[in-house]
Amino acid sequence: LHLIGVGVLTSTRLSLALLFGLSGVTLYALLRSWTSLAAAVAGAAVYLLFPYRLYDLFIRGALPEFVAFLWLPLLILAVVQLGKRSRTGSQSAPNPTRGGIVSYFAPWRESLLLTGAASIAWAGLIVTLNLTALMAGLAVAVIVLLVGVASRSTTSAGRIFLLGALSVLLGLLLVSWYVIPAVADSGWVGIGSEPISYGYLNHFTDWQTLFDW
């Protein structure tokens, strides 16, 4: 935006507004995978108005963390859709003698596209905020496990685990230009240094003021 002539401050505001709105759209798409229209809209509204997100933007100025919320629903949506595609593919496997090799790999086509989309989301999240990416990795690992078990098929579960791991690997490769120097330089930037800071505790409230406007 700035390169085409928009001011830096306006470019930043427009970018944040666009990414903020898109995060609501991605969560809406995720919720519509298994809920009603009204529930999905309500969930998207809650996601957008989540107090911590607004605190990140208006108080802390933690813009990377604010933007990182865009990628999380996309990652979960990819896993959920992989589970659906894996179940569909296992129930209606094509006959390779009728459609050739292309027909044989047809059930994998959409799964591979979803894996590619998840890889891009992982790459975006890692570059946006690597700490959130680390936490998301732990959460998505649990979700992959649950979706795999819910598939009730060893073949489908194996496909979900394989493609889930592949998406992380591809995402890391896409941003290896960032990950490798970040890991190599980690010893020089005070990660894990003493004393430990508990400043984050100031961001929480107590029960007495929880509902205080």
Side-chain angles (χ1 to χ4, degrees), residues 96-167:
T97 60
R98 297 175 60 184
I101 192 69
V102 175
S103 177
Y104 183 77
F105 284 102
W108 285 81
R109 189 182 308 156
E110 290 186 350
S111 295
L112 290 174
L113 289 175
L114 286 168
T115 302
S119 301
I120 295 173
W122 276 118
L125 180 58
I126 292 169
V127 171
T128 303
L129 191 64
N130 48 23
L131 178 58
T132 301
L134 176 62
M135 294 187 290
L138 299 175
V140 172
V142 174
I143 295 171
V144 167
L145 179 62
L146 293 175
V147 172
V149 171
S151 67
R152 300 180 182 179
S153 167
T154 304
T155 302
S156 297
R159 182 184 299 178
I160 295 169
F161 297 148
L162 174 63
L163 295 178
L166 180 61
S167 68

Side-chain angles (χ1 to χ4, degrees), residues 12-27:
T12 302
R13 287 172 171 169
L14 290 174
S15 299
L16 291 173
L18 176 62
L19 296 171
F20 180 65
L22 285 176
S23 71
V25 174
T26 57
L27 189 78

Side-chain angles (χ1 to χ4, degrees), residues 12 22 38 47 50 53 61 67 77 94 121 128 130 145 148 162 173 177:
T12 302
L22 285 176
Y47 194 61
F50 183 50
R53 298 191 66 184
V67 172
L77 178 61
T128 303
N130 48 23
L145 179 62
L162 174 63
L173 289 175
W177 52 270

Side-chain angles (χ1 to χ4, degrees), residues 40-112:
V41 170
V46 170
Y47 194 61
L48 291 174
L49 298 176
F50 183 50
Y52 186 80
R53 298 191 66 184
L54 303 181
Y55 194 85
D56 266 350
L57 177 62
F58 295 114
I59 306 299
R60 298 182 63 213
L63 303 187
E65 189 172 60
F66 176 77
V67 172
F69 281 88
L70 166 69
W71 306 106
L72 304 177
L74 287 174
L75 294 173
I76 302 174
L77 178 61
V79 174
V80 171
Q81 292 300 321
L82 275 176
K84 290 185 176 181
R85 296 298 182 275
S86 296
R87 287 195 298 271
T88 303
S90 63
Q91 293 171 358
S92 57
N95 186 349
T97 60
R98 297 175 60 184
I101 192 69
V102 175
S103 177
Y104 183 77
F105 284 102
W108 285 81
R109 189 182 308 156
E110 290 186 350
S111 295
L112 290 174

Side-chain angles (χ1 to χ4, degrees), residues 168-179:
V168 176
L169 178 60
L170 291 176
L172 286 169
L173 289 175
L174 284 173
V175 291
S176 58
W177 52 270
Y178 166 80
V179 173

